[in-house]
Amino acid sequence: CMKRKWWMSAVGYQIYPRTYFDSNNDGIGDLKGIIQKLDYIHELGVNLIWIGPFYKSPMDDNGYDVSDFFDVDPVFGTLDDARQLIAEAHKRDIKVVLDLVLNHTSDEHAWFMESRSSVDNPKRDYYIWQKGKVDQDGTLLPPNNWGSFFEGSAWNYDEQTNEYYMKIFSNKMPDLNWDNPKLREEMYHVARYWLDLGVDGFRVDAIAHLARDLSFEDSPLPLTIHGVAPDWSKFSNRPELFTYINEFHDKVLSQYDCMTVGEVGGGAKLEAGLGYAAYDARAFNMAFNFDHCWEVNRVLDPETNKMKNVTRVKDLKRIFNYWIEGMNQKGWLPQYWLNHDHPRVISQYGDPVHYHRESGSMLGSVLLTLPGTPFIYNGEEIGMTNVDYTDVNDFNDVWVKNNVKKLLEHDTMENVMDQLRRTSRDNARTPMQWSSAPYAGFSKVKPVQKEISNYTEINVEKQLSESNSILKAYQKLIHLRRFSEYSDVLVFGQFELVQAEHEDVFAYDRYNENKRVRIIANFRPFTVKFDTPEGKIIFTNYERDYSVGLELKPFEVIIIELKHD
Ligand code: GLC
Ligand code: CA
């Protein structure tokens, strides 16, 4: 059952260290840069930061490919910087949560170098090795047809021992073998090390993949253009992994007052969700699913017979409701619009060109009034947008690098660029737009990732000086959630959709014995009719007189306290 915990009433903020703030002007964000921005973060009102991985890494996947879990990569700083960051955050009552990567390491990790050296090396079974298959012509093939997320096969050939290692992400990210109790102990040691150093918990990376179908049989699914089967069920949400997580919980997590949120990704439904994060699951405190991030904003235009951007509001409501109802009384949810793996929410569900301020503040209002712990992704609080890149080489993400050639064999550059500007992970990884100074005030030199040219208009400095900016709306909403008389109902109150069938408006009540608050959010760039009720206005993003039954303006949001009965 539910016991009230500090992280339930927290408001989280995710920091992508590589492009947050560059303190030493080498073009790459760093830990000292985050320390310098802690006052800004504190002013925003959040009290929990999740920092992306800053372990030693060759940066094939921007730090998710770890070569040493016990040290900080020199581009980000030193272990002392990490200690100082934790201490400085704690001084401001901000908890610090680290990204913990349990599924794989870098191929440059010492374990992997040993593991690949010979079939009888003691670390051989830290990873997953299989012999290849030989076809009729004598050609050596991977052990099976499984595909990976980032490039081609889920297997990569290694000459030294003439075997294949499993890797469901890039070739430089060999999968760890969680079936091996010795390996599990090593990973628990990593977690304890950082908890003992003072972090307050973990966002646990790619947690859905720790167990695989050990029969390693081919998938019956049709093959992709890469000649592999995109069959994630072979290594996602498999029953064995819950026993690993239970062990991790019992041996490590339960020994600390820490918070954990697992990244569970697509494909997990409620049953798995409860396995990862029910109150009594002996697993994590929360689990991120991706359901509302997949494109709920594309519909077929009957006139042109092409896809166009229109938010499918009913689908969006259905998805949120599925998880909120399903977890109700059983477990706690994290809420978020985007992270470093998804496009910018304002480009996806808002209108950054015509209604930047309105749609940005509307989206923030929804995030901060849903049940569960909200996580803001850095830049979201000023309405940062998808990239405006016109050169395919401006994209950096490992997925783009590995796949662009193949895509171009099947489509025009124009279409590929259009797809990347809409869906690429780089959309969320551009330099944080601090000011209108060159490079968005992120660095004094050319950043590792190209900035978006709209930083002259969309930036922190400007929005701090405007009373009705998106940033100010986020500040107010965070305050409302954490410190106002509505805090209890917004954090712990029940949830109920209002007019669930409405095509344009996402409306819901949060209520408890004392209060009922209605959130009414117009997701359209046009005026919409809605039964706006009588009550006391708590927050809106338009300055105008309120009256019962008024029409909603484009992307208008109204938070209103209803008379309680
Ligand atoms: C998670 C991370 C993503 C990373 C992947 C592999 O999905 O969020 O950025 O590429 O795991 O570690
Ligand atoms: Ca730097």
Side-chain angles (χ1 to χ4, degrees):
C1 74
M2 190 193 104
K3 285 192 210 99
R4 291 194 173 191
K5 293 280 171 58
W6 62 264
W7 41 264
M8 293 178 172
S9 48
V11 175
Y13 183 72
Q14 183 193 346
I15 297 174
Y16 199 64
R18 188 175 162 85
T19 46
Y20 197 60
F21 186 61
D22 177 16
S23 74
N24 62 347
N25 296 308
D26 63 354
I28 310 177
D30 43 60
L31 299 188
K32 281 211 163 76
I34 300 175
I35 297 173
Q36 288 178 27
K37 296 297 180 184
L38 281 173
D39 284 333
Y40 165 77
I41 293 165
H42 183 62
E43 287 281 289
L44 180 60
V46 303
N47 58 337
L48 168 67
I49 51 177
W50 146 26
I51 308 176
F54 49 75
Y55 313 98
K56 246 198 189 118
S57 164
M59 304 291 165
D60 185 55
D61 187 24
N62 291 0
Y64 283 94
D65 48 319
V66 179
S67 54
D68 181 355
F69 289 103
F70 302 104
D71 206 352
V72 172
D73 195 274
V75 303
F76 293 127
T78 64
L79 209 48
D80 267 337
D81 294 340
R83 286 201 187 88
Q84 200 197 340
L85 170 54
I86 296 165
E88 289 294 324
H90 286 171
K91 261 190 219 163
R92 293 164 178 82
D93 281 324
I94 298 170
K95 305 268 190 186
V96 180
V97 164
L98 258 197
D99 228 298
L100 184 64
V101 189
L102 300 180
N103 180 71
H104 44 265
T105 66
S106 163
D107 64 341
E108 296 178 36
H109 193 290
W111 297 340
F112 189 71
M113 306 214 260
E114 282 188 50
S115 183
R116 79 188 329 178
S117 66
S118 75
V119 289
D120 46 20
N121 183 279
K123 297 228 164 34
R124 186 68 173 179
D125 288 339
Y126 274 34
Y127 296 85
I128 301 161
W129 292 95
Q130 289 284 304
K131 288 194 170 49
K133 280 196 218 160
V134 183
D135 73 3
Q136 291 139 329
D137 312 332
T139 315
L140 189 62
L141 298 172
N144 59 37
N145 67 358
W146 301 355
S148 70
F149 295 117
F150 290 173
E151 64 186 310
S153 167
W155 301 91
N156 198 38
Y157 178 68
D158 200 47
E159 273 183 352
Q160 279 177 74
T161 54
N162 190 30
E163 285 191 4
Y164 287 78
Y165 62 87
M166 192 171 178
K167 52 95 203 173
I168 62 172
F169 293 98
S170 83
N171 288 344
K172 285 187 65 62
M173 299 160 81
D175 281 19
L176 288 165
N177 177 18
W178 274 72
D179 205 30
N180 178 352
K182 260 202 182 143
L183 178 274
R184 296 204 296 273
E185 281 304 328
E186 298 264 20
M187 298 316 281
Y188 303 157
H189 178 52
V190 170
R192 284 192 203 101
Y193 172 86
W194 285 97
L195 289 165
D196 292 337
L197 205 103
V199 304
D200 303 289
F202 302 111
R203 177 267 189 182
V204 198
D205 184 69
I207 203 63
H209 309 305
L210 296 189
R212 289 102 192 145
D213 175 357
L214 296 176
S215 77
F216 297 117
E217 275 163 19
D218 272 345
S219 164
L221 289 190
L223 307 185
T224 65
I225 56 171
H226 305 275
V228 294
D231 191 349
W232 316 138
S233 74
K234 296 291 185 190
F235 42 79
S236 303
N237 305 309
R238 301 188 70 87
E240 310 80 27
L241 77 81
F242 294 96
T243 60
Y244 307 149
I245 297 176
N246 292 155
E247 185 184 80
F248 181 35
H249 169 273
D250 294 351
K251 290 192 166 177
V252 184
L253 301 175
S254 63
Q255 317 290 313
Y256 296 81
D257 179 21
C258 64
M259 182 227 87
T260 47
V261 50
E263 183 213 19
V264 164
K269 288 293 141 229
L270 197 58
E271 198 195 337
L274 289 165
Y276 289 110
Y279 295 127
D280 55 7
R282 291 171 38 240
F284 302 122
N285 300 126
M286 300 176 259
F288 284 119
N289 73 79
F290 292 175
D291 294 357
H292 66 281
C293 303
W294 304 130
E295 299 187 38
V296 192
N297 67 335
R298 304 282 282 168
V299 296
L300 194 68
D301 183 348
E303 265 163 39
T304 61
N305 210 26
K306 279 189 169 170
M307 299 298 278
K308 66 173 185 181
N309 265 10
V310 178
T311 303
R312 301 200 313 269
V313 179
K314 267 166 68 174
D315 285 340
L316 201 57
K317 292 192 273 192
R318 183 179 42 72
I319 291 168
F320 276 109
N321 196 54
Y322 171 85
W323 284 102
I324 294 171
E325 281 216 323
M327 296 297 276
N328 188 25
Q329 315 287 344
K330 299 191 184 127
W332 196 260
L333 282 171
Q335 299 291 357
Y336 72 109
W337 275 126
L338 80 147
N339 58 37
H340 62 292
D341 295 327
H342 294 286
R344 286 287 177 180
V345 67
I346 198 166
S347 300
Q348 201 160 359
Y349 300 137
D351 182 341
V353 177
H354 306 98
Y355 296 103
H356 184 257
R357 189 191 64 76
E358 293 82 355
S359 60
S361 50
M362 181 279 284
L363 290 164
S365 307
V366 172
L367 175 72
L368 290 155
T369 55
L370 285 171
T373 301
F375 286 82
I376 297 160
Y377 179 70
N378 61 197
E380 177 189 337
E381 75 274 26
I382 54 168
M384 277 180 64
T385 66
N386 279 355
V387 297
D388 54 357
Y389 297 166
T390 51
D391 182 347
V392 75
N393 296 312
D394 288 335
F395 289 92
N396 257 317
D397 181 38
V398 53
W399 185 93
V400 179
K401 288 196 165 141
N402 291 339
N403 290 284
V404 99
K405 251 176 83 191
K406 257 281 175 333
L407 293 178
L408 286 173
E409 285 167 18
H410 294 258
D411 211 338
T412 63
M413 180 58 104
E414 194 192 328
N415 286 344
V416 169
M417 284 298 287
D418 180 62
Q419 185 195 332
L420 295 179
R421 279 192 297 255
R422 216 163 26 75
T423 62
S424 161
R425 307 199 300 177
D426 287 305
N427 284 306
R429 300 176 176 187
T430 60
M432 178 74 181
Q433 296 175 190
W434 293 105
S435 73
S436 58
Y439 309 122
F442 159 76
S443 176
K444 293 211 164 59
V445 304
K446 191 169 178 262
V448 268
Q449 173 94 37
K450 192 179 180 206
E451 71 282 0
I452 306 178
S453 59
N454 64 21
Y455 71 84
T456 49
E457 282 306 307
I458 302 171
N459 63 65
V460 169
E461 193 177 69
K462 183 155 180 260
Q463 294 199 19
L464 280 174
S465 73
E466 296 166 345
S467 62
N468 67 349
S469 60
I470 300 176
L471 180 54
K472 287 288 167 72
Y474 269 78
Q475 279 179 344
K476 279 184 209 152
L477 290 156
I478 295 168
H479 188 272
L480 192 70
R481 186 177 182 102
R482 289 192 57 207
F483 303 114
S484 78
E485 60 179 298
Y486 302 102
S487 183
D488 199 62
V489 69
L490 291 178
V491 174
F492 295 107
Q494 287 296 302
F495 170 92
E496 192 173 63
L497 282 177
V498 175
Q499 292 192 42
E501 294 306 305
H502 199 289
E503 299 279 350
D504 309 307
V505 175
F506 187 178
Y508 49 93
D509 281 355
R510 302 296 313 280
Y511 63 96
N512 59 20
E513 320 75 72
N514 307 312
K515 285 194 190 309
R516 181 175 284 262
V517 173
R518 180 161 299 174
I519 293 86
I520 302 169
N522 179 9
F523 270 69
R524 298 294 175 219
F526 47 79
T527 301
V528 159
K529 277 200 177 16
F530 192 82
D531 296 327
T532 43
E534 197 180 324
K536 180 179 147 200
I537 301 294
I538 305 172
F539 179 88
T540 72
N541 60 350
Y542 277 83
E543 277 170 35
R544 59 179 182 142
D545 290 333
Y546 179 77
S547 58
V548 174
L550 95 179
E551 289 187 330
L552 299 173
K553 299 231 180 195
F555 295 106
E556 186 165 26
V557 65
I558 299 174
I559 305 180
I560 183 166
E561 180 180 3
L562 307 191
K563 271 218 206 79
H564 205 274
D565 41 36

Coordinates of all heavy atoms in Angstrom, one line a residue, residues 238-289:
R238 N 10.8 -9.3 -20.2 CA 10.7 -10.8 -20.0 C 10.6 -11.1 -18.5 O 11.3 -10.4 -17.7 CB 11.9 -11.5 -20.7 CG 11.9 -11.2 -22.2 CD 12.9 -12.0 -22.9 NE 12.5 -13.4 -22.9 CZ 11.7 -13.9 -23.9 NH1 11.3 -13.2 -24.9 NH2 11.4 -15.2 -23.9
P239 N 9.9 -12.2 -18.1 CA 9.6 -12.4 -16.7 C 10.9 -12.6 -15.9 O 10.9 -12.1 -14.7 CB 8.9 -13.8 -16.8 CG 8.7 -14.1 -18.2 CD 9.2 -13.1 -19.1
E240 N 12.0 -13.1 -16.4 CA 13.2 -13.4 -15.5 C 13.7 -12.1 -15.0 O 14.3 -12.0 -13.9 CB 14.3 -14.1 -16.3 CG 13.9 -15.3 -17.1 CD 13.2 -15.0 -18.4 OE1 13.5 -14.0 -19.0 OE2 12.4 -15.8 -18.8
L241 N 13.5 -11.0 -15.7 CA 14.2 -9.7 -15.3 C 13.6 -9.2 -14.0 O 14.3 -8.5 -13.2 CB 14.2 -8.7 -16.4 CG 13.0 -7.8 -16.7 CD1 12.8 -6.7 -15.8 CD2 13.2 -7.3 -18.1
F242 N 12.4 -9.6 -13.7 CA 11.8 -9.1 -12.4 C 12.5 -9.7 -11.2 O 12.6 -9.1 -10.2 CB 10.3 -9.3 -12.4 CG 9.6 -8.4 -13.5 CD1 9.3 -9.0 -14.7 CD2 9.4 -7.1 -13.3 CE1 8.7 -8.2 -15.7 CE2 8.8 -6.3 -14.2 CZ 8.5 -6.8 -15.5
T243 N 13.0 -10.9 -11.4 CA 13.7 -11.5 -10.3 C 15.0 -10.8 -10.0 O 15.5 -10.6 -8.9 CB 14.0 -13.0 -10.5 OG1 14.7 -13.2 -11.7 CG2 12.7 -13.8 -10.6
Y244 N 15.7 -10.3 -11.1 CA 16.9 -9.6 -11.0 C 16.6 -8.3 -10.2 O 17.3 -7.8 -9.3 CB 17.5 -9.2 -12.3 CG 17.8 -10.4 -13.3 CD1 17.7 -10.2 -14.6 CD2 18.1 -11.6 -12.8 CE1 18.0 -11.2 -15.5 CE2 18.3 -12.7 -13.7 CZ 18.2 -12.4 -15.0 OH 18.5 -13.5 -15.9
I245 N 15.5 -7.6 -10.7 CA 15.2 -6.3 -10.1 C 14.8 -6.5 -8.6 O 15.2 -5.7 -7.7 CB 14.1 -5.6 -10.8 CG1 14.5 -5.3 -12.3 CG2 13.7 -4.3 -10.2 CD1 13.4 -4.7 -13.1
N246 N 14.1 -7.5 -8.3 CA 13.8 -7.8 -6.9 C 15.0 -8.0 -6.0 O 15.1 -7.5 -4.9 CB 12.9 -9.1 -6.7 CG 11.5 -8.9 -7.3 OD1 10.9 -9.8 -7.7 ND2 11.1 -7.7 -7.4
E247 N 16.0 -8.7 -6.6 CA 17.3 -8.9 -5.9 C 18.0 -7.6 -5.7 O 18.5 -7.3 -4.6 CB 18.1 -9.9 -6.7 CG 19.4 -10.3 -6.0 CD 20.3 -11.2 -6.8 OE1 21.0 -10.6 -7.7 OE2 20.3 -12.4 -6.6
F248 N 18.0 -6.8 -6.7 CA 18.6 -5.4 -6.7 C 17.9 -4.6 -5.6 O 18.6 -3.9 -4.7 CB 18.5 -4.8 -8.0 CG 19.1 -3.4 -8.1 CD1 20.3 -3.1 -7.5 CD2 18.6 -2.4 -9.0 CE1 20.8 -1.8 -7.6 CE2 19.1 -1.2 -9.1 CZ 20.3 -0.8 -8.4
H249 N 16.6 -4.7 -5.5 CA 15.9 -4.0 -4.5 C 16.2 -4.4 -3.1 O 16.6 -3.6 -2.2 CB 14.4 -4.2 -4.8 CG 13.5 -3.7 -3.6 ND1 13.2 -4.5 -2.5 CD2 12.9 -2.5 -3.4 CE1 12.5 -3.8 -1.7 NE2 12.3 -2.6 -2.2
D250 N 16.2 -5.8 -2.9 CA 16.4 -6.3 -1.6 C 17.9 -6.0 -1.1 O 18.1 -5.7 0.0 CB 16.1 -7.8 -1.6 CG 14.7 -8.1 -1.8 OD1 13.9 -7.1 -1.8 OD2 14.3 -9.2 -2.0
K251 N 18.8 -6.2 -2.0 CA 20.2 -6.1 -1.6 C 20.7 -4.7 -1.5 O 21.7 -4.4 -0.8 CB 21.1 -6.9 -2.5 CG 20.9 -8.4 -2.4 CD 22.0 -9.1 -3.1 CE 22.1 -10.6 -2.7 NZ 23.1 -11.3 -3.5
V252 N 20.2 -3.8 -2.3 CA 20.7 -2.5 -2.4 C 19.7 -1.4 -2.1 O 19.8 -0.7 -1.1 CB 21.3 -2.2 -3.8 CG1 22.0 -0.8 -3.8 CG2 22.3 -3.2 -4.2
L253 N 18.7 -1.3 -3.0 CA 17.8 -0.1 -2.9 C 17.0 0.0 -1.5 O 16.9 1.1 -1.0 CB 16.7 -0.2 -4.0 CG 17.4 -0.2 -5.4 CD1 16.3 -0.4 -6.5 CD2 18.1 1.1 -5.7
S254 N 16.6 -1.1 -1.0 CA 15.9 -1.1 0.3 C 16.7 -0.7 1.4 O 16.2 -0.4 2.5 CB 15.3 -2.5 0.5 OG 16.3 -3.4 0.7
Q255 N 18.0 -0.6 1.2 CA 18.9 -0.2 2.3 C 19.1 1.3 2.4 O 19.9 1.8 3.2 CB 20.3 -0.9 2.1 CG 20.3 -2.3 1.7 CD 19.8 -3.2 2.9 OE1 20.3 -3.1 4.0 NE2 18.9 -4.1 2.5
Y256 N 18.6 2.0 1.4 CA 18.8 3.4 1.4 C 17.4 4.2 1.3 O 16.5 3.6 0.8 CB 19.6 3.8 0.2 CG 21.0 3.3 0.2 CD1 21.3 2.0 -0.2 CD2 22.1 4.1 0.5 CE1 22.6 1.5 -0.3 CE2 23.4 3.6 0.5 CZ 23.7 2.3 0.1 OH 24.9 1.8 0.1
D257 N 17.4 5.4 1.7 CA 16.2 6.2 1.5 C 16.3 6.9 0.1 O 16.6 8.1 0.0 CB 16.0 7.3 2.6 CG 14.8 8.2 2.3 OD1 13.9 7.7 1.6 OD2 14.8 9.3 2.8
C258 N 16.3 6.1 -0.9 CA 16.5 6.6 -2.3 C 15.3 6.5 -3.1 O 14.3 5.8 -2.8 CB 17.7 5.9 -2.9 SG 17.4 4.2 -3.2
M259 N 15.3 7.2 -4.3 CA 14.2 7.2 -5.2 C 14.7 6.5 -6.5 O 15.8 6.8 -7.0 CB 13.8 8.6 -5.5 CG 12.7 8.7 -6.5 SD 13.0 10.0 -7.8 CE 13.8 9.0 -9.0
T260 N 13.9 5.7 -7.1 CA 14.3 5.1 -8.4 C 13.2 5.2 -9.4 O 12.0 4.9 -9.1 CB 14.7 3.6 -8.2 OG1 13.7 2.9 -7.5 CG2 16.0 3.4 -7.5
V261 N 13.6 5.5 -10.6 CA 12.6 5.5 -11.7 C 13.2 4.8 -12.8 O 14.3 5.1 -13.3 CB 12.1 6.9 -12.0 CG1 13.3 7.9 -12.3 CG2 11.2 6.9 -13.2
G262 N 12.6 3.7 -13.2 CA 13.1 2.8 -14.3 C 12.6 3.3 -15.6 O 11.5 3.8 -15.8
E263 N 13.5 3.2 -16.6 CA 13.1 3.5 -18.0 C 12.6 2.2 -18.6 O 13.4 1.3 -18.9 CB 14.2 4.1 -18.8 CG 13.8 4.5 -20.2 CD 14.8 4.3 -21.2 OE1 15.8 3.6 -21.0 OE2 14.7 5.0 -22.3
V264 N 11.3 2.2 -18.9 CA 10.7 0.9 -19.3 C 10.4 0.9 -20.8 O 10.3 -0.1 -21.4 CB 9.5 0.6 -18.5 CG1 8.6 -0.5 -19.1 CG2 10.0 0.1 -17.1
G265 N 10.3 2.1 -21.4 CA 10.2 2.2 -22.8 C 8.9 1.7 -23.4 O 7.9 1.5 -22.7
G266 N 8.9 1.5 -24.7 CA 7.7 1.1 -25.4 C 7.4 -0.4 -25.1 O 8.2 -1.2 -24.7
G267 N 6.1 -0.8 -25.4 CA 5.8 -2.2 -25.4 C 5.4 -2.7 -24.0 O 4.6 -3.7 -23.9
A268 N 5.8 -2.0 -22.9 CA 5.3 -2.5 -21.6 C 3.9 -2.0 -21.4 O 3.5 -0.9 -21.6 CB 6.2 -1.9 -20.5
K269 N 3.0 -2.9 -20.9 CA 1.7 -2.6 -20.6 C 1.5 -2.6 -19.1 O 2.5 -2.8 -18.4 CB 0.7 -3.5 -21.3 CG 0.6 -3.2 -22.8 CD 0.0 -1.9 -23.1 CE 0.6 -1.2 -24.3 NZ 1.0 0.2 -24.1
L270 N 0.3 -2.4 -18.6 CA 0.1 -2.3 -17.2 C 0.7 -3.4 -16.4 O 1.3 -3.2 -15.3 CB -1.4 -2.2 -17.0 CG -1.8 -1.7 -15.6 CD1 -1.2 -0.3 -15.4 CD2 -3.4 -1.6 -15.5
E271 N 0.5 -4.6 -16.8 CA 1.0 -5.8 -16.0 C 2.5 -5.6 -15.7 O 3.0 -5.8 -14.6 CB 0.7 -7.1 -16.7 CG 0.8 -8.3 -15.8 CD 0.8 -9.6 -16.6 OE1 0.4 -9.6 -17.8 OE2 1.3 -10.5 -16.1
A272 N 3.2 -5.3 -16.8 CA 4.7 -5.1 -16.6 C 4.9 -3.9 -15.8 O 5.8 -3.9 -14.9 CB 5.4 -4.9 -18.0
G273 N 4.1 -2.8 -16.0 CA 4.3 -1.6 -15.3 C 4.2 -1.8 -13.8 O 4.9 -1.3 -13.0
L274 N 3.2 -2.7 -13.4 CA 3.1 -3.0 -12.0 C 4.2 -3.8 -11.5 O 4.7 -3.7 -10.3 CB 1.7 -3.8 -11.8 CG 0.5 -2.9 -12.0 CD1 -0.8 -3.8 -12.1 CD2 0.3 -1.9 -10.8
G275 N 4.8 -4.7 -12.3 CA 6.0 -5.4 -11.9 C 7.2 -4.5 -11.6 O 8.0 -4.8 -10.7
Y276 N 7.3 -3.5 -12.4 CA 8.4 -2.5 -12.2 C 8.2 -1.6 -11.1 O 9.1 -1.1 -10.4 CB 8.6 -1.7 -13.5 CG 9.1 -2.4 -14.7 CD1 8.3 -2.7 -15.8 CD2 10.4 -2.9 -14.7 CE1 8.8 -3.4 -16.9 CE2 10.9 -3.6 -15.8 CZ 10.1 -3.8 -16.9 OH 10.6 -4.5 -17.9
A277 N 6.9 -1.2 -10.8 CA 6.7 -0.1 -9.9 C 5.5 -0.1 -9.0 O 5.0 0.9 -8.6 CB 6.8 1.2 -10.7
A278 N 4.9 -1.3 -8.8 CA 3.8 -1.3 -7.8 C 4.4 -1.1 -6.4 O 5.6 -1.3 -6.2 CB 3.1 -2.7 -7.8
Y279 N 3.6 -0.6 -5.5 CA 4.1 -0.3 -4.1 C 4.7 -1.5 -3.5 O 5.7 -1.4 -2.7 CB 3.0 0.3 -3.2 CG 2.4 1.6 -3.7 CD1 1.1 1.8 -3.9 CD2 3.3 2.7 -3.9 CE1 0.6 3.0 -4.3 CE2 2.8 3.9 -4.3 CZ 1.4 4.1 -4.5 OH 0.9 5.3 -4.9
D280 N 4.1 -2.6 -3.8 CA 4.6 -3.9 -3.1 C 5.4 -4.8 -4.0 O 5.6 -5.9 -3.8 CB 3.4 -4.7 -2.5 CG 2.4 -5.0 -3.6 OD1 2.7 -4.7 -4.8 OD2 1.3 -5.5 -3.3
A281 N 5.9 -4.2 -5.1 CA 6.6 -5.0 -6.1 C 8.1 -5.4 -5.8 O 8.7 -6.2 -6.4 CB 6.6 -4.3 -7.5
R282 N 8.6 -4.7 -4.7 CA 10.0 -4.9 -4.4 C 10.9 -4.6 -5.7 O 11.7 -5.4 -6.1 CB 10.4 -6.2 -3.9 CG 9.8 -6.5 -2.5 CD 9.9 -7.9 -2.0 NE 11.2 -8.5 -2.4 CZ 11.2 -9.7 -3.2 NH1 10.1 -10.2 -3.6 NH2 12.4 -10.2 -3.5
A283 N 10.6 -3.5 -6.3 CA 11.3 -3.1 -7.5 C 11.7 -1.7 -7.5 O 12.4 -1.3 -6.6 CB 10.5 -3.5 -8.8
F284 N 11.1 -0.9 -8.4 CA 11.5 0.6 -8.4 C 10.3 1.4 -7.9 O 9.2 0.8 -7.7 CB 11.8 1.0 -9.8 CG 12.9 0.3 -10.4 CD1 12.8 -0.4 -11.6 CD2 14.2 0.3 -9.8 CE1 13.8 -1.1 -12.2 CE2 15.2 -0.4 -10.4 CZ 15.0 -1.1 -11.5
N285 N 10.5 2.7 -7.6 CA 9.4 3.5 -7.2 C 8.5 3.9 -8.3 O 7.3 4.2 -8.1 CB 10.0 4.7 -6.5 CG 10.8 4.4 -5.3 OD1 12.0 4.8 -5.2 ND2 10.3 3.6 -4.4
M286 N 9.1 4.1 -9.5 CA 8.3 4.5 -10.6 C 8.9 3.9 -11.9 O 10.0 3.5 -11.9 CB 8.3 6.0 -10.7 CG 7.8 6.8 -9.6 SD 8.0 8.6 -9.8 CE 9.5 8.9 -8.8
A287 N 8.1 4.0 -13.0 CA 8.6 3.5 -14.3 C 8.1 4.4 -15.4 O 6.9 4.7 -15.5 CB 8.2 2.1 -14.5
F288 N 9.0 4.9 -16.2 CA 8.7 5.7 -17.3 C 8.2 4.8 -18.4 O 8.9 3.9 -18.8 CB 9.9 6.4 -17.9 CG 10.4 7.6 -17.1 CD1 11.6 7.7 -16.5 CD2 9.6 8.8 -16.9 CE1 12.1 8.8 -15.8 CE2 10.0 9.9 -16.3 CZ 11.3 9.9 -15.7
N289 N 7.0 5.0 -19.0 CA 6.7 4.4 -20.2 C 6.7 5.5 -21.3 O 6.7 6.6 -21.0 CB 5.3 3.7 -20.1 CG 4.2 4.8 -20.2 OD1 3.8 5.3 -21.2 ND2 3.7 5.1 -19.0

